[in-house]
Amino acid sequence: MQPHRQPPPAPQPGARLLALLLLLVLQAAAAPAASGGPEDPRQPLDAGPSRGLLQRAARAALHFLNFRSGSPSALRVLAAVQEGRARINPKEGCKVDLVFSTERYNSESLFEGEERLGKCSARVFFKNQKPRPAINVTCTRLLEKQKRQQEDYLLYKQMKQLKTPLDVVSIPDSHGHIDPSLRPIWDLAFLGSSYVMWEKTTQFLHYYLAQLTSVKQWVRK
C-alpha cells in the first residue's frame, strides 16, 4: 500500500507577486543625495548626531524593513525623527540608535480606520569598509498580514488580466507626474530597489529612487 501523500500547498499571493516582480524588467535611475555638508569622520565618541545623519540612518532602516517585507502594500517611508544618538569609533564605524515615525508610502490605499502613522526604534551600524549598514529595527502599526496579502493578490490579478503587456518609458514623466494606472509599477520598483538603497546608504550619503527609464512586462501563457 502506498503511503498517503498530502497535496502540495497552493502558492501564496506573495509568491505569485514575487514571480510577477521577477518578470518585470525595471531599469531604475537611483540618484545619490547628500544632506547638508559632510560630517567630520574624526568627531569623538558619543558626539551629538546631526539631523542629516539621523535621517539617513532612519531611511536605511526603512529600506531594510521594506526589503524584508517583500510587499508593495507594506511600504513605509520616514515621517519624522523623534530622537537619536550616535557613537563613533574611527576603527569600526558609526552606530546610531534612534526613534522615528513612519507613514504608508501610498497613503491613498489606507484601510478605513487604519492609523496613518507608525513608530519605529532602530539601531543602525555603518561599518567601515562594509557594503551596507547592519540594521536592527522594530516597528508598530504595520499593515496586518491578511490585509497585506489581500492587497498584493489584487495587484497580482490586476497585472495578470492586462490584455496588452506593459511597455512604458519614463515613470514619472518629464514633468514629475505618475499616471494613477502606473502607480502599482512604481511601487513595485520602489520595493525592488529597496535592497540597493539599503546597501548603498552610508553615514554620509543616502539614495532614493528618481525615475524608471524602462518597464517591460512579459506575460506567461
Side-chain angles (χ1 to χ4, degrees):
M1 179 181 294
Q2 294 291 331
H4 178 68
R5 297 180 181 274
Q6 294 291 335
Q12 296 298 314
R16 297 191 187 99
L17 190 61
L18 179 59
L20 174 64
L21 182 59
L22 293 175
L23 291 176
L24 291 172
V25 177
L26 304 175
Q27 298 177 354
S35 300
E39 286 86 4
D40 185 352
R42 298 169 297 176
Q43 60 182 308
L45 295 174
D46 295 313
S50 70
R51 179 171 174 267
L53 173 59
L54 293 179
Q55 289 183 335
R56 285 190 289 278
R59 289 192 176 101
L62 285 174
H63 291 326
F64 172 78
L65 184 71
N66 289 333
F67 164 68
R68 290 293 299 271
S69 76
S71 167
S73 305
L75 294 173
R76 310 291 296 187
V77 292
L78 178 64
V81 176
Q82 270 79 47
E83 58 182 276
R85 63 175 184 170
R87 296 189 298 277
I88 299 175
N89 185 321
K91 294 183 179 180
E92 296 182 0
C94 175
K95 187 176 295 184
V96 183
D97 293 304
L98 69 163
V99 177
F100 55 93
S101 59
T102 68
E103 56 187 356
R104 286 194 67 177
Y105 184 59
N106 189 355
S107 58
E108 297 176 357
S109 61
L110 285 173
F111 284 91
E112 183 178 355
E114 181 184 350
E115 295 285 348
R116 184 176 68 89
L117 294 177
K119 192 172 184 179
C120 298
S121 59
R123 168 167 289 182
V124 180
F125 190 8
F126 296 106
K127 298 181 180 180
N128 293 341
Q129 310 301 324
K130 294 293 182 180
R132 57 182 175 269
I135 308 288
N136 189 345
V137 58
T138 302
C139 296
T140 62
R141 295 181 181 173
L142 297 178
L143 187 63
E144 294 178 4
K145 182 178 180 180
Q146 183 177 0
K147 293 180 179 179
R148 185 178 73 237
Q149 290 179 338
Q150 177 184 348
E151 285 197 25
D152 288 348
Y153 184 65
L154 290 176
L155 173 59
Y156 164 76
K157 288 181 62 177
Q158 176 186 346
M159 300 300 298
K160 188 176 181 181
Q161 291 171 358
L162 289 175
K163 295 182 179 179
T164 304
L166 286 171
D167 192 355
V168 184
V169 176
S170 298
I171 305 175
D173 60 22
S174 57
H175 301 288
H177 174 70
I178 299 178
D179 188 277
S181 65
L182 299 177
R183 181 59 194 242
I185 303 302
W186 177 259
D187 290 349
L188 281 174
F190 191 89
L191 171 63
S193 63
S194 59
Y195 177 85
V196 177
M197 293 189 286
W198 162 44
E199 182 181 50
K200 297 295 184 182
T201 299
T202 72
Q203 68 186 89
F204 307 112
L205 195 69
H206 75 268
Y207 281 74
Y208 64 95
L209 181 62
Q211 187 181 53
L212 298 181
T213 58
S214 177
V215 178
K216 189 174 181 64
Q217 179 189 6
W218 285 271
V219 179
R220 293 187 297 179
K221 297 181 180 180

